[in-house]
DNA sequence: CGAGATGTTCGGCT
DNA sequence: AAGCCGAACATCTC
């Protein structure tokens, strides 16, 4: 379920490995997860390397070692965990960093995720080029309105999912933002009546998700659309109108036809 | 058995 | 030419 808050949660799962040496790298090197990655360099550099620190940004994570940088994207079904040293890797445990007494495991059933490796002391371009976070000071109302203008003909649901504009926002967060801003998902991005409200709700949902979900994988509070939008028959938390559920901009979308116009 | 799942990417079209 | 759309990717579950 990885959107920005879940990604931050998973990043922390490898914290027990900080400051420790990787004694062995186990991997399914031929898997799609490693497409475009120099797996030989990854194994060579990470074997006997020490994990120094980690960060999460948007839907990506970056792990700093004393001999390079490991970038991980979780795709649809990626997870990070720490397993006992005695645990044998499972079918979908595509990357396993063995340390003394424990294993740092990346598991991804569907393999829409991605593992990257970058040697050198400077952080890789794929990391530094991630655009400003929705919650950051750079994400001003003016900046936001420029994104809307650039994608004026794309349904607003699709625009909120653009990682070049809203890094880390995924399907459930986009629906939550639109529900709170009372905007129907098919409205063209160039025809938003009150951009300041949408901007405000985007920032609210991102910061609350980070505060609540990233902490310990708690669900958002009662009253959020989140709890209804998975259900085949969900209802608007405000007045119990049945939610509509259709594909918009290529993604399943749930919204309240009464609140959202 | 077919459809769908919280994500990207690519090729084709306007 | 930038931007939009739909298909594809791999696997499991309902």
């Amino acid at each position: 379920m990885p959107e920005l808050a879940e990604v931050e949660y998973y990043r922390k799962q490898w914290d027990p490995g900080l400051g420790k040496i990787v004694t062995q790298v186990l991997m399914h090197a031929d898997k799609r997860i490693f497409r475009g990655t120099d797996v030989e360099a990854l194994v060579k550099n990470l074997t006997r390397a020490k994990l120094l620190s980690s960060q999460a940004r948007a839907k990506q994570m970056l792990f700093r070692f004393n001999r390079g940088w490991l970038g991980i994207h979780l795709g649809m079904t990626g997870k990070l965990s720490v397993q006992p040293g005695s645990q044998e890797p499972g079918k979908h445990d595509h990357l396993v960093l063995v340390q003394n007494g424990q294993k740092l495991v990346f598991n991804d059933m569907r393999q829409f995720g991605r593992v990257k490796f970058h040697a050198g002391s400077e952080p890789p371009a794929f990391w530094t080029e991630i655009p400003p976070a929705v919650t950051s000071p750079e994400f001003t109302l003016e900046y936001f309105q420029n994104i809307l203008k650039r994608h004026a003909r794309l349904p607003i649901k699709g625009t909120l999912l653009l990682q070049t504009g809203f890094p880390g926002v995924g399907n459930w967060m986009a629906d939550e933002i639109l529900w709170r801003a009372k905007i129907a998902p098919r409205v063209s991005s160039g025809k938003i009546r009150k951009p300041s409200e949408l901007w405000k709700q985007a920032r609210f949902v991102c910061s609350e998700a980070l505060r609540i979900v990233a902490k310990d994988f708690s669900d958002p509070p009662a009253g959020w659309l989140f709890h209804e939008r998975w259900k085949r028959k969900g209802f608007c938390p405000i007045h119990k109108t049945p939610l509509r559920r259709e594909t918009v901009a290529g993604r399943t979308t749930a919204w309240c036809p009464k609140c959202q116009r």
Side-chain angles (χ1 to χ4, degrees):
Chain A
M1 8 177 133
E3 298 179 29
L4 85 170
E6 290 95 346
V7 172
E8 167 61 10
Y9 170 81
Y10 280 121
R11 178 196 66 79
K12 293 187 291 187
Q13 301 313 297
W14 277 11
D15 280 357
L18 292 172
K20 294 181 182 161
I21 303 286
V22 173
T23 56
Q24 192 185 3
V25 176
L26 308 174
M27 65 197 304
H28 301 148
D30 57 330
K31 292 294 186 183
R32 181 182 153 83
I33 286 295
F34 297 104
R35 60 197 179 280
T37 296
D38 184 345
V39 291
E40 262 184 51
L42 188 157
V43 173
K44 198 174 164 192
N45 284 279
L46 292 190
T47 303
R48 286 189 297 282
K50 185 193 280 189
L51 176 56
L52 301 176
S53 63
S54 62
Q55 292 178 78
R57 250 187 223 178
K59 294 175 187 169
Q60 313 212 49
M61 294 173 285
L62 187 66
F63 294 88
R64 182 178 193 178
F65 291 81
N66 56 347
R67 297 171 64 187
W69 308 79
L70 180 69
I72 297 184
H73 190 297
L74 297 171
M76 288 279 251
T77 51
K79 295 172 180 55
L80 297 191
S81 65
V82 174
Q83 303 291 338
S86 56
Q87 180 97 21
E88 287 309 310
K91 184 178 177 186
H92 303 304
D93 293 343
H94 300 307
L95 178 68
V96 177
L97 305 181
V98 182
Q99 294 182 320
N100 184 25
Q102 67 185 12
K103 287 177 168 141
L104 310 182
V105 177
F106 169 55
N107 175 289
D108 186 2
M109 179 176 83
R110 287 176 72 185
Q111 300 181 64
F112 288 2
R114 186 176 273 221
V115 174
K116 298 178 186 182
F117 179 75
H118 172 79
S121 54
E122 294 304 308
F126 71 76
W127 181 259
T128 55
E129 287 168 2
I130 294 172
V134 177
T135 50
S136 69
E138 298 99 300
F139 199 91
T140 60
L141 177 57
E142 187 190 6
Y143 174 89
F144 169 71
Q145 287 183 290
N146 280 333
I147 300 169
L148 295 186
K149 201 183 293 176
R150 171 163 302 166
H151 301 283
R153 302 184 61 176
L154 184 64
I156 186 61
K157 171 64 185 271
T159 300
L160 289 176
L161 291 174
L162 293 171
Q163 296 303 295
T164 47
F166 303 87
V169 171
N171 210 15
W172 81 254
M173 292 179 72
D175 282 0
E176 189 76 42
I177 291 165
L178 288 174
W179 176 69
R180 286 170 182 272
K182 303 194 186 300
I183 297 168
R186 284 191 218 279
V187 172
S188 297
S189 302
K191 292 187 176 167
I192 300 297
R193 291 180 197 178
K194 207 178 165 198
S196 60
E197 182 64 15
L198 182 56
W199 174 76
K200 191 176 113 187
Q201 295 301 343
R203 295 183 37 109
F204 174 82
V205 169
C206 288
S207 60
E208 285 296 278
L210 280 167
R211 187 174 69 81
I212 297 161
V213 181
K215 185 165 176 275
D216 54 7
F217 223 94
S218 297
D219 280 352
W224 281 44
L225 183 70
F226 176 92
H227 301 281
E228 295 294 320
R229 73 172 295 281
W230 313 123
K231 301 176 186 169
R232 211 63 195 144
K233 302 206 72 165
F235 297 91
C236 176
I238 294 176
H239 40 56
K240 312 304 174 200
T241 300
L243 297 179
R244 196 162 289 173
R245 193 184 168 90
E246 289 168 23
T247 298
V248 178
R251 303 299 300 281
T252 299
T253 300
W255 77 99
C256 172
K258 185 170 171 184
C259 294
Q260 298 175 246
R261 302 285 172 169

